[in-house]
Amino acid sequence: CLFSSSSSSSSSARRKKLKKKKGKEKRAKDGKDKKAKKDKKGKKEKKVKSAKAKLREKEKKAREKAGLAGSVTAQYGTYGLINVEDVYRKRPEFHAWLMEVKQQKPEQMSPSEEKKMFIDFVEDYNTATFPSEKYYDLEKWDTMQQVKRAKRTKPDQKQGGFLHFDDEKSRKLEQEKEKQKKKEQEVQKQVARLRGDRDKLDEMRHNNELRARMEMLFKAGKVDEAKEIQRRLTEGESRHAKFRDLQ
């Protein structure tokens, strides 16, 4: 009876020991799982922080760029915000920027190249980092220049009576005036041409839509309707050809 009691006690102790061991292993495993989860969470947070840091760095560079000499202002969105969908609305300003700032001819660029350049234009527009207000609103800028020219002509007329006292100074002023006049005339021609380009683009887009509709009608067997659209397109092309010949 004493042996049986001793054996039972020993068996109970082993079970307790085994249970304790399993508990330790479970806790150790749980600890590892928690550590793994924590590490995973930490990596995720680190990645998010890294992305935020990159974004902050990008914004910082944009602000620094905005502070460069020659920029109009360093304030983001001062002249409003645009996106890639505004390419047609802002085409005159975009083309002026391409020719004068980037020294590139829009007519020699492929659509993909023009699209890439417009993304840069959008960034500079939104961060207000253009070297001139002209590239935000060409028509408004042109109006302001006309007002300035009108103001400048008045004092020149008053000074006309005594400019002859210094021939050298008078000649230089006249040369500078003529140079400025030619420059402004060139800008006005450019503005007029860009406005004309906008009209041409609208017409081209309309003609492309007509051609697409004509092809669909031909495929659908609606030959008469398709030929009517074809006739309209041909007449339009003939008118343009005559206009070019007259020029």
Side-chain angles (χ1 to χ4, degrees), residues 4-15:
S4 176
S5 177
S6 176
S7 176
S8 176
S9 178
S10 177
S11 177
S12 177
R14 279 199 302 274
R15 280 197 299 275

Side-chain angles (χ1 to χ4, degrees), residues 62-80 97 101 121 123-137 140-141 144-145 148:
R63 286 194 297 271
E64 285 173 356
K65 187 180 177 184
L68 291 173
S71 65
V72 177
T73 176
Q75 191 173 345
Y76 181 83
T78 299
Y79 295 88
W97 174 78
V101 179
F121 176 84
E123 186 183 346
D124 285 358
Y125 188 104
N126 291 343
T127 53
T129 53
F130 285 138
S132 167
E133 291 187 3
K134 179 196 300 186
Y135 310 115
Y136 300 101
D137 191 328
K140 185 180 176 182
W141 178 85
M144 286 169 65
Q145 293 303 305
K148 285 179 182 178

